[in-house]
């Protein structure tokens, strides 16, 4: 099975009108996006190179060698179309990780085999396919237990990884910030800890006293095996990463509180991976963030300001994309980042209108939103890529989500309608006040325009008279200039 090509690359023919007035950048948004994309592509794996560990006495960290792969899936529920869509998504994940997909197999079973995932007979058939096509890796469309992983590798004689390890590898490739890298490393170690094993007898050999792996004090003394020492080191590293992530999340929380104090409504752009969230952010704000036709192109949240059609200022946050069966290790590790969604005033739920199964994408995203306590945040569904969506699919989505807005971040179609809808659904400020601000307080007037909603504006001899809707904090600052409503 060959991967299903996406209808278009999000970074092609993006016709942005340029950065907003408040953005004074040395580079245009297109140039910044192109530089980020070039930097991302410079880190791609080179075909033919291996990342296997050469020192077999060290712990097998299960670093992936993804050059030529065969996909295998177990179809337990749903239709054959559902199974094929799942395998197509797995192929796209493998391609994003830098591999070449040679073949794909799906087996119909009531449940996965507890020993080898696909059963001993099918495992032998898989071994023949792997040998015939010259693959060096098997990727399973599910999360394997440590026992299934070991026994399937023993049969097929090549490296076996599961969907979770594949997604973790993609996240590791795409993480750029210190927080993102720490979150991915923690998720990888959480996944790896119960699967830790090594080659040959070197990992099971006991050692005691001063020779216990060179550990000395704290290595629990005689009788400890090397694999136990490695597990302890792994747990120690995980504890350190959790402390670092907690410290970095405090910085993010401080920035979020500053935005809350200014009463600027927050909009979180969420959705399935590769649905076009970054393209939509670029179209709305000229942010110039990385746009790539690949899964999980965005890991680090990007926050930008934008002005609604009614003059109000909002923040738009581009978040990490979701996927079916998103590894729970990632959800836990990225919880501090995903809190941007839970703390928003509105979730802009972006759906790929050209995808063959958008319903499953909607369901998968809402499941993750519920897991991070964001299910109660108001939601506006935005169906993207309508320029390449089939008319029948557009009609189908209108039946499923009658209140959705249909747009194309690539061509700009529907963006004006989206702006009007945002002005309607974004919560208004709580306090309505009328003030006369002296001309010497121009900064306060500017803040009122930036952080509030100006209903009426007049310039008189005593200063600027404004009727405003503002948040409580700004209302307190404006209180000395309040006047009776005429």
């Amino acid at each position: 099975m060959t991967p299903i090509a996406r209808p278009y690359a999000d970074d092609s023919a993006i016709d942005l009108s340029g950065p907003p007035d408040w953005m004074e950048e040395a580079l245009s948004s297109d140039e910044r996006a192109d530089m980020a994309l070039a930097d991302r592509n410079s880190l791609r794996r080179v075909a033919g190179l291996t990342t296997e560990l050469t020192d077999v006495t060290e712990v097998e960290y299960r670093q992936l060698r993804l050059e030529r792969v065969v996909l295998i899936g177990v179809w337990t529920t749903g239709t054959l179309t559902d199974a094929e869509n799942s395998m197509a998504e797995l192929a796209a994940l493998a391609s994003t990780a830098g591999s070449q997909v040679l073949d794909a197999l799906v087996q119909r079973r009531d449940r996965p085999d507890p020993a080898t995932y696909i059963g001993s007979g099918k495992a032998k058939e898989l071994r023949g396919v792997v040998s015939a096509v010259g693959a060096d890796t098997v990727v399973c469309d599910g999360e394997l237990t440590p026992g299934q992983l070991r026994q399937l590798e023993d049969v097929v004689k090549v490296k076996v990884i599961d969907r979770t390890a594949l997604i973790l590898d993609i996240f590791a490739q795409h993480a750029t910030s210190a927080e993102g890298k720490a979150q991915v490393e923690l998720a990888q170690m959480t996944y790896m800890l119960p699967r830790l094993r090594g080659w040959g007898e070197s990992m099971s050999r006991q050692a005691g006293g001063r020779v216990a792996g060179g550990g000395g004090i704290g290595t629990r003394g005689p009788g400890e095996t090397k694999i136990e020492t490695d597990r302890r080191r792994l747990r120690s590293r995980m504890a350190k990463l959790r402390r670092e992530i907690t410290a970095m999340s405090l910085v993010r929380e401080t920035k979020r509180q500053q935005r809350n104090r200014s009463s600027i409504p927050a909009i979180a752009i969420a959705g399935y991976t590769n649905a076009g969230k970054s393209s939509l952010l670029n179209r709305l704000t000229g942010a110039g963030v990385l746009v790539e036709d690949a899964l999980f192109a965005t890991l680090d949240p990007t926050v930008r300001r934008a002005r609604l059609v009614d003059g109000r200022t909002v923040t738009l946050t581009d978040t990490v994309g979701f996927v079916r069966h998103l590894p729970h290790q990632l959800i836990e590790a990225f919880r501090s980042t995903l809190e941007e969604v839970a703390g928003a005033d509105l979730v802009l739920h972006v759906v790929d209108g050209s995808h063959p199964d958008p319903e499953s994408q909607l369901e998968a995203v809402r499941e993750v939103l519920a897991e991070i306590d964001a299910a109660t945040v108001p939601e506006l569904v935005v169906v993207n890529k309508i320029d390449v969506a089939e008319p029948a699919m557009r009609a189908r989505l209108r039946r499923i989500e009658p209140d959705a807005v249909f747009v194309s971040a690539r061509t700009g179609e529907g963006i004006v309608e989206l702006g009007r809808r945002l002005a309607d659904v974004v919560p208004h400020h709580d306090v309505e006040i009328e003030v006369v601000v002296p001309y010497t307080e121009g900064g306060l007037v500017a803040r009122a325009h930036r952080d509030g909603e100006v209903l009426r504006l007049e310039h008189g001899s005593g200063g600027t008279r404004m009727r405003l809707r503002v948040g409580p904090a700004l209302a307190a600052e404006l209180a000395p200039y309040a006047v009776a409503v005429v």
Side-chain angles (χ1 to χ4, degrees):
M1 177 185 296
T2 56
I4 295 178
R6 312 306 291 165
Y8 63 83
D10 282 353
D11 61 334
S12 63
I14 296 178
D15 181 23
L16 297 176
S17 58
D21 295 338
W22 49 266
M23 292 183 64
E24 295 182 1
E25 301 286 349
L27 297 175
S28 70
S29 59
D30 284 336
E31 289 171 329
R32 293 195 304 276
D34 289 343
M35 289 177 65
L37 184 59
D39 182 62
R40 167 71 55 78
N41 289 334
S42 69
L43 298 176
R44 292 291 187 194
R45 284 189 173 86
V46 179
L49 297 183
T50 177
T51 58
E52 290 282 4
L53 297 177
T54 55
D55 182 3
V56 296
T57 64
E58 291 299 320
V59 64
E60 182 183 4
Y61 196 78
R62 301 209 63 79
Q63 288 188 328
L64 306 184
R65 181 180 66 187
L66 294 174
E67 290 118 10
R68 299 167 58 82
V69 305
V70 170
L71 312 180
I72 181 68
V74 173
W75 167 31
T76 57
T77 59
T79 64
L80 178 59
T81 301
D82 295 334
E84 290 177 346
N85 288 338
S86 182
M87 293 300 289
E89 182 175 275
L90 186 66
L93 287 168
S95 298
T96 300
S99 66
Q100 178 186 3
V101 179
L102 302 177
D103 207 344
L105 308 170
V106 178
Q107 183 192 14
R108 183 72 172 92
R109 294 179 65 95
D110 293 333
R111 60 185 177 86
D113 181 68
T116 61
Y117 182 68
I118 56 176
S120 57
K122 292 297 181 182
K124 292 177 181 177
E125 290 183 26
L126 177 61
R127 160 94 177 131
V129 173
V130 167
S131 178
V133 299
D136 51 41
T137 305
V138 170
V139 183
C140 296
D141 190 22
E143 184 167 330
L144 303 182
T145 66
Q148 289 172 328
L149 187 67
R150 182 177 62 255
Q151 293 188 56
L152 190 56
E153 277 189 347
D154 289 342
V155 176
V156 299
K157 306 300 181 185
V158 296
K159 181 177 290 296
V160 175
I161 65 167
D162 58 16
R163 180 188 179 93
T164 299
L166 180 59
I167 293 174
L168 290 173
D169 183 71
I170 295 171
F171 270 59
Q173 290 186 54
H174 290 185
T176 56
S177 69
E179 185 178 10
K181 291 177 180 178
Q183 289 168 326
V184 171
E185 185 178 357
L186 177 60
Q188 284 181 315
M189 289 185 170
T190 304
Y191 167 82
M192 184 182 64
L193 186 61
R195 295 167 175 80
L196 197 62
R197 66 189 183 90
W199 283 284
E201 297 181 356
S202 65
M203 300 299 290
S204 59
R205 187 180 301 121
Q206 289 184 342
R210 297 179 183 274
V211 297
I217 295 175
T219 57
R220 295 200 307 158
E224 183 179 44
T225 63
K226 188 176 188 302
I227 197 167
E228 289 171 334
T229 304
D230 287 318
R231 285 192 179 118
R232 182 180 301 102
R233 290 172 178 167
L234 209 59
R235 292 189 183 101
S236 177
R237 175 62 179 163
M238 289 167 64
K240 182 180 179 182
L241 286 170
R242 289 192 180 98
R243 291 193 297 270
E244 291 176 354
I245 292 171
T246 299
M248 288 183 280
S249 66
L250 291 176
V251 176
R252 186 182 299 282
E253 178 62 25
T254 300
K255 293 180 179 178
R256 188 184 302 122
Q257 290 176 357
Q258 289 174 347
R259 294 196 296 269
N260 291 340
R261 280 197 296 270
S262 65
S263 301
I264 300 177
I267 302 173
I269 304 177
Y272 212 77
T273 182
N274 208 35
K277 298 181 295 299
S278 297
S279 295
L280 188 61
L281 179 69
N282 285 342
R283 172 63 69 175
L284 292 172
T285 69
V289 298
L290 170 66
V291 176
E292 185 178 3
D293 184 27
L295 306 187
F296 303 116
T298 300
L299 293 189
D300 302 308
T302 300
V303 182
R304 293 290 184 270
R305 288 196 182 200
R307 192 170 295 279
L308 300 179
V309 294
D310 59 7
R312 285 182 293 160
T313 298
V314 297
T315 61
L316 289 162
T317 304
D318 186 18
T319 61
V320 61
F322 303 147
V323 71
R324 279 174 293 186
H325 312 302
L326 189 67
H328 63 87
Q329 297 93 340
L330 278 174
I331 295 176
E332 288 303 316
F334 276 75
R335 185 168 292 276
S336 63
T337 301
L338 294 173
E339 286 173 358
E340 294 282 353
V341 181
D345 296 296
L346 176 72
V347 172
L348 211 59
H349 184 166
V350 184
V351 183
D352 183 353
S354 65
H355 193 274
D357 187 16
E359 294 94 339
S360 67
Q361 291 194 352
L362 284 162
E363 181 182 358
V365 171
R366 285 167 177 162
E367 285 178 359
V368 178
L369 291 176
E371 193 164 346
I372 60 174
D373 302 324
T376 58
V377 179
E379 175 192 68
L380 175 62
V381 176
V382 178
V383 179
N384 192 22
K385 304 185 184 180
I386 59 171
D387 54 316
V388 291
E390 295 292 335
M393 180 60 71
R394 294 172 65 164
R396 176 172 146 193
L397 283 166
R398 289 188 188 278
R399 290 194 302 271
I400 299 171
E401 298 290 339
D403 296 328
V405 181
F406 288 71
V407 307
S408 170
R410 177 184 178 184
T411 65
E413 182 181 354
I415 296 297
V416 174
E417 171 62 21
L418 175 60
R420 286 196 291 263
R421 287 291 300 277
L422 285 175
D424 292 337
V425 299
V426 170
H428 288 266
H429 293 296
D430 301 327
V431 182
E432 189 167 320
I433 186 173
E434 187 156 339
V435 296
V436 176
V437 181
Y439 290 118
T440 56
E441 297 291 339
L444 196 55
V445 174
R447 281 194 56 201
H449 281 280
R450 186 187 68 207
D451 299 339
E453 187 178 352
V454 179
L455 304 178
R456 192 175 69 224
L457 177 67
E458 297 175 3
H459 297 288
S461 58
T464 304
R465 188 181 185 103
M466 295 184 292
R467 186 170 181 81
L468 305 164
R469 282 200 192 102
V470 295
L474 185 54
E477 292 188 50
L478 291 168
Y481 308 107
V483 296
V485 178
V486 179

